[in-house]
């Protein structure tokens, strides 16, 4: 093993110990080491990082993401080997604009559920109706729902383990959600009989769902439901069911007279965010939520002026 390979291994172990998964980082850094080997280079320089980052085709934002990973490693490794160069910031500054959350209306969620019901395979139809309903009612991440096992559900609470940043949490489920999951379990057994996987949600073959397949089917359902983008940056994604749950919860808090500052940390914990600040980004610039905040603020301003 070369000195650079050893440093990459130490870097990944250190950051994973802090809770980062770094699957993409490991892939990129492995590719970078192979690039250095092919070109007969033994240390990290700004020039070879830039050459590697730009080597494949793709958008400038993709090249920028590759350079960012290599620069992060170089900055850490420089403390152990001063010959390692750290590329300047903003060397490839191009970034993709952050997607604007697409907030689904109740009618749009119902339309998605109806289109899922119409899928040709009865098992696939049942699975996607259950998956979409679960995401809409809990705000879970898609990966969390896919990775959930039947044994994770106990006494009305779903255990979500080793998720983003290595965190785990308990997700209490409403009785209506539990009824749907119970019906789904009966449907799964009726259509497939005993299945070998422990997965809560399964494919028509009785196997755990695959992330990219879920996205492909969801995009098909969105098209059939007639749900269109609001702008170039605001397109309907399955992840936006999570954003929609957060917004709906806060709107409900305003309308019920709850204290938003007290609800937000609870919602953040329920969603498995690292901090309420991450949840707050979900809530920015949503007209319905701003309207509710305005209604709450109006009487307070009038009281201060009186």
């Amino acid at each position: 093993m070369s000195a650079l390979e050893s440093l990459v291994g130490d870097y990944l172990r250190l950051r994973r110990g802090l809770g980062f998964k770094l699957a993409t980082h490991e892939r990129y850094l492995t590719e970078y080491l192979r690039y250095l080997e092919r070109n007969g280079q033994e240390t990290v320089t700004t020039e070879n990082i830039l050459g590697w980052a730009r080597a494949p085709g793709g958008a400038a934002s993709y090249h920028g993401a590759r350079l960012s990973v290599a620069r992060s490693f170089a900055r850490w490794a420089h403390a152990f080997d001063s010959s390692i160069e750290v590329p300047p910031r903003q060397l490839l500054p191009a970034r993709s604009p952050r997607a604007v959350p697409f907030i689904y209306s109740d009618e749009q969620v119902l339309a998605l559920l109806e289109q899922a019901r119409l899928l040709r395979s009865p098992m696939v139809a049942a699975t996607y109706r259950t998956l979409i309903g679960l995401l809409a009612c809990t705000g879970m991440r898609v990966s969390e729902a896919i990775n959930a096992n039947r044994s994770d559900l106990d006494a009305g609470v779903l255990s979500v383990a080793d998720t983003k940043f290595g965190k785990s949490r308990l997700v209490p489920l409403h009785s209506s959600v539990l009824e749907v999951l119970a019906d789904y379990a009966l449907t799964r057994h009726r259509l497939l009989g005993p299945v070998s996987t422990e997965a809560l949600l399964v494919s028509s073959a009785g196997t755990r769902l695959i992330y990219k397949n879920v996205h492909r089917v969801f995009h098909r359902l969105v098209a059939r439901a007639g749900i269109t983008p609001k702008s170039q940056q605001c397109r309907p994604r399955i992840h936006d069911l999570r954003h929609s749950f957060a917004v709906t919860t806060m709107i409900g808090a305003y309308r019920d007279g709850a204290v938003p500052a007290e609800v937000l940390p609870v919602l953040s914990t329920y969603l498995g965010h690292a901090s309420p600040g991450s949840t707050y980004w979900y809530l920015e610039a949503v007209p319905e939520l701003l309207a509710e905040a305005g209604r709450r603020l109006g009487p307070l301003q009038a009281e201060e002026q009186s």
Side-chain angles (χ1 to χ4, degrees), residues 41-302:
Q41 301 188 42
E42 298 180 354
T43 191
V44 175
T45 67
T46 298
E47 183 179 0
N48 63 41
I49 285 182
L50 192 59
W52 166 77
R54 288 173 163 171
S61 58
Y62 173 53
H63 298 158
R66 287 164 61 87
L67 184 139
S68 177
V69 169
R71 184 185 184 279
S72 178
F73 163 71
R75 187 174 57 180
W76 174 85
H78 179 77
F80 302 93
D81 182 351
S82 60
S83 70
I84 289 177
E85 295 180 9
V86 181
R89 289 182 179 275
Q90 301 300 314
L91 192 59
L92 291 177
R95 294 180 181 177
S96 297
R98 194 171 189 179
V100 177
F102 186 102
I103 306 303
Y104 294 96
S105 66
D106 290 344
E107 292 74 18
Q108 287 173 326
V109 173
L110 290 174
L112 288 169
L113 292 172
E114 175 60 17
Q115 291 303 317
R117 186 185 68 81
L118 298 175
L119 288 170
R120 182 174 301 178
S121 164
M123 190 68 248
V124 173
T127 293
Y128 278 88
R129 275 180 58 83
T130 305
L131 172 63
I132 292 169
L134 184 63
L135 297 176
C137 292
T138 66
M140 293 174 65
R141 299 179 178 94
V142 177
S143 59
E144 293 172 348
I146 291 174
N147 292 330
N149 292 323
R150 285 172 283 171
S151 57
D152 294 333
L153 183 59
D154 182 41
V157 177
L158 186 63
S159 298
V160 181
D162 191 27
T163 63
K164 196 172 183 179
F165 305 118
K167 299 181 68 173
S168 299
R169 70 186 190 281
L170 300 176
V171 179
L173 301 179
H174 191 271
S175 58
S176 60
V177 178
L178 294 172
E179 290 175 7
V180 170
L181 289 175
D183 289 343
Y184 174 75
L186 292 174
T187 300
R188 181 183 59 219
H189 185 76
R190 176 173 57 82
L191 294 176
L192 301 179
V195 293
S196 58
T197 180
E198 271 294 304
L200 181 66
L201 302 170
V202 299
S203 68
S204 58
T207 57
R208 192 179 295 275
L209 296 176
I210 298 173
Y211 192 83
K212 66 178 181 180
N213 291 347
V214 168
H215 280 271
R216 187 177 68 249
V217 173
F218 185 79
H219 285 308
R220 191 192 318 159
L221 297 177
V222 165
R224 291 179 179 178
I227 301 173
T228 57
K230 295 178 181 178
S231 70
Q232 186 66 26
Q233 286 75 41
C234 187
R235 296 176 172 276
R237 306 169 303 163
I238 191 169
H239 184 72
D240 288 320
L241 290 169
R242 179 169 166 84
H243 289 272
S244 301
F245 172 82
V247 169
T248 301
T249 298
M250 291 305 298
I251 289 176
Y254 273 106
R255 292 175 179 172
D256 293 342
V259 180
E262 295 177 354
V263 174
L264 187 60
V266 176
L267 175 61
S268 180
T269 300
Y270 189 84
L271 290 172
H273 279 153
S275 70
S278 300
T279 311
Y280 180 77
W281 180 79
Y282 276 38
L283 310 175
E284 286 184 294
V286 177
E288 297 85 351
L289 188 56
L290 293 177
E292 293 298 331
R295 293 189 187 98
R296 175 73 63 87
L297 185 61
L300 292 177
Q301 290 178 330

